[in-house]
Amino acid sequence: MTNSADALRPHLNRPGQAAPLDLPAHVPIAIVGSGFSGLGSAIALADEGYAPSDVLILERRAGVGGTWYDNSYPGCRCDVPSNLYSFSFAPNPNWSETFSGQPEIERYLQSTARRYGVLDRIAVDAELESARWDAERSVWELDTARGSLTADVLISGGGGLSEPSIPDLTGAETFAGTSFHSAQWNHEHDLTGRRVAIIGTGASTIQFLPHVQREAGHVTLFQRTPPWVFPHRNRPTRGYERLAFRVLPWTQRFSRARNYWMGEFLLGSMLIHNSPMLTRLERLARRYLARQVADPELRAKLTPTYTPGCKRLLQSNDYYPALQRPNVSVETEKIIEVVPSGVVTADGVLHEVDTIIYGTGFRITNNPMAERVIGTDGRTLKEHWSSAGVGMSAYCGATIPGFPNFFMLAGPNTGIGHTSLVVMIEAQIAHVTGALRAMRQRRGTAVEVRPEVASRWASEIQVKAAPTVWNSGGCSSWYLDEAGRNTTLWPDYTFRFVRRTRQFDPKDYLITGTHGEGGTGNSAGLGAGLGLGIGAGGATEKPSTSAPTP
């Protein structure tokens, strides 16, 4: 089994890595991950005036890009329009397609990091192994793959699509062939003429299966639940469009806003309210399936029995055609075990294969990061959530009681089913910088959300989630935890999340170690320390990220 994305063949767009940045003994702000969340945070902190030496990004891989570095499988592409799936303050007028592929998004993140001066603040090969809050010193004690350090503030920007989910199949360790997850693609393994088993039918599978089909001798797709699939609207960006974006930047802002508001009030409205309009969407998907798949038996296998949107809506123009090629078969029987020579299904059939590719998604509701972060009472984040009885939860998807100076980006209930996650991330970043600004102004050492505020937020989320298609659409999905709670998706319009989150309200938080009323008087605290960095060369000329816009 391939276990490290860094064992993969490098992409042509990946430059040689610079010498690893040495870890300091202490850093005021440590950020985990160099994807959109991590890079956006570092850029916003520089915009706030923090010096470069105040911020360190801990990246577990050998390069920049987060999930867009890891997921290098053939056909990997974003299903959100390019002009929307990018930072609002760093538009790219040169997108080559309306829905960008993985290599171009990775290059965008690399160039953005370089442009805003944060590339040299990234410590690569420095996976966070544990983080423990030291209440006496008001610091996070961090253990990484490259050594230990302390930080006043810890920002987790790893996101939900960071830990591959591999099913616990009986006998998987006995398989004599090659197996790997789509997020850990083994580019050294030649698929030409191979007998390939693909397990799972999610967003990644429908993108890489057509490419595998063209190389492999035979492909067996093991399907548990079929997805609803729609035509993909991607096309090359026209030359005059790129010219307009460069010469008249407002045209790209208009394109971004149009995509955003159409997503909010068309698809978003249907999903949030489990609208009767979803039946019309289902008819469109059924007609597309009927046009694409002639065989009634195969078409029946590929027809979902749940409401569109209950699971992620997928887009592809070549998935259905690939499934009808003579070297592809679709197997719907349950997998019983894996043996050295292949996969055995419930009907007793041995499907002989020499390669297994897992397209089984990510550990969203049981992300290992929750087992590595230890709060004030000595419990891990996972233990805290378990004992609280509300499942995975964070105020504004970012802060948790008992975990001072700890911020999650793209955390619980910030996922979306109809628009760009970057919109949510930018709003959260504004919330984090607001918290640090308030703490700095009060010369505090720690900021922590009030328990009653977090509790009200968690209750409100579940009330809002109940009538959505994600909860009531008749399927079992990774959106819901084992208790049936929606702990992943934001169950409302994203502009409401932005409005509520980007403004930090000190009344919702406990700021300790402050001078004056209610303070504990630690003059060497975070506020004092970071205050020295203001104006020390951290800010660069760029639009402010304090008020992100769609």
Side-chain angles (χ1 to χ4, degrees):
M1 183 83 185
T2 300
N3 291 316
S4 172
D6 292 330
L8 309 182
R9 185 178 66 210
H11 275 263
L12 293 178
N13 66 301
R14 288 180 176 167
Q17 300 299 325
L21 180 68
D22 290 335
L23 297 185
H26 176 80
V27 66
I29 303 174
I31 301 170
V32 179
S34 66
F36 276 98
S37 295
L39 296 180
S41 297
I43 293 168
L45 290 168
D47 195 41
E48 284 284 304
Y50 292 112
S53 59
D54 286 336
V55 179
L56 178 69
I57 298 178
L58 300 171
E59 170 53 55
R60 66 176 177 173
R61 301 303 186 202
V64 175
T67 192
W68 294 105
Y69 182 94
D70 282 352
N71 286 269
S72 60
Y73 60 81
C76 183
R77 179 177 301 280
C78 187
D79 57 6
V80 175
S82 305
N83 285 336
L84 186 55
Y85 196 79
S86 51
F87 289 120
S88 63
F89 58 87
N92 175 20
N94 298 312
W95 291 117
S96 64
E97 297 176 276
T98 54
F99 291 77
S100 298
Q102 175 270 335
E104 193 166 15
I105 297 174
E106 184 183 350
R107 287 196 299 269
Y108 168 77
L109 290 170
Q110 292 168 350
S111 64
T112 301
R114 188 176 300 108
R115 173 185 174 191
Y116 288 99
V118 300
L119 203 57
D120 60 354
R121 300 310 305 158
I122 301 174
V124 297
D125 299 318
E127 181 173 9
L128 181 68
E129 297 175 343
S130 70
R132 179 183 294 271
W133 176 252
D134 184 330
E136 288 189 11
R137 295 187 294 161
S138 291
V139 296
W140 283 98
E141 297 176 341
L142 310 178
D143 293 322
T144 79
R146 287 182 46 202
S148 300
L149 70 156
T150 58
D152 299 313
V153 173
L154 179 61
I155 300 174
S156 175
L161 306 183
S162 57
E163 294 290 339
S165 175
I166 299 174
D168 185 17
L169 298 176
T170 301
E173 72 283 356
T174 70
F175 183 58
T178 299
S179 61
F180 52 89
H181 191 278
S182 61
Q184 300 167 326
W185 197 269
N186 186 348
H187 292 279
E188 300 300 327
H189 182 61
D190 186 2
L191 293 172
T192 304
R194 299 281 187 177
R195 295 168 298 168
V196 181
I198 296 177
I199 299 176
T201 53
S204 298
T205 294
I206 73 162
Q207 292 183 339
F208 70 72
L209 184 144
H211 296 265
V212 174
Q213 175 270 318
R214 288 193 287 269
E215 296 183 25
H218 188 269
V219 175
T220 303
L221 173 65
F222 290 90
Q223 172 187 276
R224 185 177 61 179
T225 308
W228 286 110
V229 180
F230 296 83
H232 206 301
R233 297 175 289 117
N234 182 51
R235 61 168 175 80
T237 305
R238 301 180 179 98
Y240 70 82
E241 291 173 314
R242 294 195 297 272
L243 177 62
F245 294 160
R246 289 194 299 270
V247 178
L248 301 171
W250 67 266
T251 60
Q252 190 168 23
R253 292 195 296 270
F254 175 80
S255 172
R256 179 185 178 93
R258 180 190 60 194
N259 285 324
Y260 173 77
W261 291 111
M262 285 180 64
E264 286 288 280
F265 290 120
L266 293 180
L267 182 56
S269 180
M270 286 189 276
L271 299 175
I272 293 164
H273 301 294
N274 199 359
S275 164
M277 287 293 291
L278 288 173
T279 59
R280 182 176 179 183
L281 200 66
E282 180 176 333
R283 287 198 298 270
L284 291 173
R286 286 180 179 274
R287 283 202 293 267
Y288 181 59
L289 176 60
R291 288 197 307 269
Q292 292 269 304
V293 180
D295 178 15
E297 182 179 351
L298 178 59
R299 192 164 62 243
K301 286 184 178 181
L302 300 177
T303 302
T305 58
Y306 54 87
T307 304
C310 184
K311 288 178 178 283
R312 186 173 175 179
L313 298 172
L314 305 183
Q315 305 172 58
S316 177
N317 298 329
D318 53 6
Y319 178 64
Y320 287 151
L323 294 183
Q324 297 171 86
R325 301 300 296 173
N327 66 331
V328 177
S329 57
V330 178
E331 179 55 64
T332 57
E333 287 286 339
K334 181 180 179 181
I335 295 175
I336 297 300
E337 65 175 333
V338 177
V339 297
S341 58
V343 177
V344 179
T345 47
D347 54 3
V349 175
L350 168 62
H351 303 267
E352 294 187 342
V353 298
D354 51 47
T355 303
I356 298 176
I357 303 176
Y358 293 97
T360 46
F362 297 87
R363 296 177 60 180
I364 306 293
T365 58
N366 62 341
N367 194 294
M369 178 62 74
E371 302 173 25
R372 301 175 186 176
V373 180
I374 302 171
T376 55
D377 59 4
R379 292 185 300 174
T380 65
L381 190 52
K382 179 179 180 179
E383 291 169 337
H384 166 80
W385 281 331
S386 178
S387 65
V390 295
M392 194 171 66
S393 177
Y395 179 58
C396 293
T399 55
I400 304 103
F403 293 81
N405 295 3
F406 176 67
F407 302 92
M408 297 185 74
L409 300 180
N413 294 109
T414 59
I416 33 74
H418 64 281
T419 188
S420 172
L421 182 61
V422 183
V423 172
M424 308 290 279
I425 290 170
E426 288 194 14
Q428 287 189 294
I429 290 172
H431 193 82
V432 172
T433 56
L436 298 183
R437 193 182 309 124
M439 185 161 48
R440 190 170 66 238
Q441 290 168 349
R442 291 162 174 76
R443 300 181 69 80
T445 60
V447 59
E448 178 184 349
V449 66
R450 296 179 182 274
E452 65 273 18
V453 171
S455 179
R456 284 198 303 270
W457 175 271
S459 298
E460 178 187 348
I461 289 292
Q462 296 310 314
V463 169
K464 283 180 174 290
T468 67
V469 70
W470 305 304
N471 283 52
S472 58
C475 73
S476 174
S477 75
W478 55 264
Y479 300 152
L480 309 181
D481 66 11
E482 294 179 350
R485 294 176 292 239
N486 178 355
T487 58
T488 58
L489 295 188
W490 171 246
D492 203 342
Y493 297 105
T494 61
F495 67 83
R496 288 178 176 162
F497 180 89
V498 172
R499 186 173 59 204
R500 292 184 62 173
T501 301
R502 69 182 178 185
Q503 298 299 327
F504 176 81
D505 188 347
K507 296 193 298 295
D508 293 333
Y509 286 83
L510 295 166
I511 300 178
T512 57
T514 57
H515 288 281
E517 184 179 353
T520 60
N522 182 352
S523 62
L526 175 68
L530 288 185
L532 298 176
I534 301 300
T540 57
E541 288 188 20
K542 55 185 172 294
S544 172
T545 59
S546 58
T549 61

